[in-house]
Amino acid sequence: MARIKKNDQVIVIAGKDKGKTGRVLKVIPETNRVIVEGVGRVTKHTKVGQSANGSRTGGIETVEASIHASNVMLVDPETKQRTRVGFRLEEGERPNGRKRTIRVRYAKKSGKDV
């Protein structure tokens, strides 16, 4: 189970954008990287073309680049500070009456579920 997931609120703890917070837009587990909204912005040159309605596309635009997952930490929902993520096992019940074990993420600073 991943410590950082899509739509989590995170804070950058290393790099040129240290201290900025944002929402995770995408997680790339193969390379252990995340794309955070408003963080790691780079200039991208796109080829000029035409869209279906005839308007011209392309040019220079700024987009979010991926950053390594170790450079971000989850923001605690209660204290609004950075926190580590822990996992807790809870017993749940399926609709057919059988029991199952569920892993739940929680903020170690406050103990609240994430």
Side-chain angles (χ1 to χ4, degrees), residues 1 8 11 22 29 32 59 65 79 86 96 113-114:
M1 184 176 222
D8 280 348
I11 185 168
N32 203 18
T79 63
N96 59 6
D113 289 353
V114 177

Side-chain angles (χ1 to χ4, degrees), residues 53-113:
N53 61 3
S55 64
R56 297 181 67 79
T57 60
I60 301 172
E61 54 188 33
T62 56
V63 294
E64 286 95 1
S66 65
I67 59 175
H68 200 268
S70 66
N71 292 338
V72 297
M73 283 184 84
L74 193 73
V75 173
D76 193 328
E78 188 170 300
T79 63
K80 304 297 183 212
Q81 294 178 344
R82 67 186 194 175
T83 182
R84 289 181 291 165
V85 179
F87 294 96
R88 180 174 57 240
L89 295 177
E90 291 185 355
E91 290 292 324
E93 197 168 312
R94 291 187 176 171
N96 59 6
R98 295 177 64 185
K99 291 186 177 183
R100 72 184 257 213
T101 304
I102 305 167
R103 288 179 70 191
V104 178
R105 293 186 312 154
Y106 71 96
K108 287 196 172 188
K109 193 163 273 190
S110 66
K112 299 288 181 185
D113 289 353

